[in-house]
Amino acid sequence: MDWYSIIKFLHVLSAILWVGGGFTLMVLAVRADRAGNIEGMLQAMRATGELGNRFFAPMSMLTLVFGLVMCGFWVGFSDLWIVIGLAGYATTFCIGMFIFKPTADRMAGMIAKDGVTPAALAQGQRILNAARIDYSVMLVIIADMVLKPTLNDVTILGCMALVLTTGIALALGGTRRLVPSAA
């Protein structure tokens, strides 16, 4: 086994843990949201908040570092698929830092102060909507890393654009507004 194979394995492993763990929590939150299960949605949001800085951020950083090491020593940075992957990573990083983190903190503060209110749940909806976009970007990154498209791969690039458009449409269209039940 060579160093490239070891670094590639670590890159893929950290990506699986980062993307797979977050995707599982998003599915749990979406299912709870669709069922009108406020407590289930809040549990998924709490778990996401608790794991964000302790698990997801380190796994995403390891994914980036191992990818950069592979590019720096073996692959290079000029191929389109590398550029798409780095742009996708930057996008998910920004969504995490500028939407997930502050919105989750705001939601937690609102719940600690006033309990579960419609305003707090609206923050949870904002997180779910951002997650739909975030995971459409991650799906594009995964396809990009596996398929390694060039400018000549119009069908692949078109499908990637369709996935992004679908994620944005799902985020913008028709999400339910959970309302806490009167106790």
Side-chain angles (χ1 to χ4, degrees):
M1 183 177 307
D2 60 355
W3 279 106
Y4 177 78
S5 297
I6 293 168
I7 299 298
K8 185 175 181 180
F9 170 77
L10 294 172
H11 173 70
V12 171
L13 178 63
S14 57
I16 288 169
L17 293 172
W18 167 39
V19 176
F23 185 77
T24 301
L25 289 173
M26 184 193 73
V27 168
L28 290 173
V30 168
R31 287 184 52 145
D33 180 44
R34 287 187 180 160
N37 179 352
I38 294 171
E39 188 54 40
M41 184 177 148
L42 292 175
Q43 283 180 324
M45 296 292 170
R46 276 188 216 107
T48 301
E50 290 170 5
L51 292 171
N53 289 337
R54 293 186 189 121
F55 183 75
F56 297 127
M59 288 301 112
S60 76
M61 291 304 295
L62 285 172
T63 301
L64 176 65
V65 167
F66 292 132
L68 292 174
V69 168
M70 283 190 301
C71 288
F73 286 104
W74 295 286
V75 179
F77 291 92
S78 61
D79 291 332
L80 177 63
W81 65 274
I82 298 292
V83 174
I84 291 171
L86 289 171
Y89 181 88
T91 301
T92 63
F93 179 83
C94 288
I95 290 171
M97 291 301 295
F98 301 118
I99 297 174
F100 288 156
K101 176 90 171 96
T103 306
D105 290 348
R106 193 174 318 113
M107 183 175 131
M110 294 167 90
I111 291 172
K113 181 180 177 198
D114 300 320
V116 178
T117 64
L121 292 172
Q123 297 301 308
Q125 287 294 330
R126 186 169 183 229
I127 292 169
L128 273 179
N129 290 338
R132 288 175 172 103
I133 296 170
D134 192 49
Y135 278 91
S136 66
V137 172
M138 287 190 190
L139 182 58
V140 166
I141 295 170
I142 292 167
D144 177 62
M145 292 291 118
V146 172
L147 302 173
K148 297 174 178 27
T150 66
L151 282 175
N152 296 327
D153 296 316
V154 177
T155 303
I156 293 171
L157 296 171
C159 288
M160 292 164 95
L162 180 62
V163 167
L164 288 176
T165 303
T166 302
I168 292 167
L170 287 172
L172 298 177
T175 57
R176 300 172 29 113
R177 295 286 180 227
L178 290 175
V179 178
S181 59

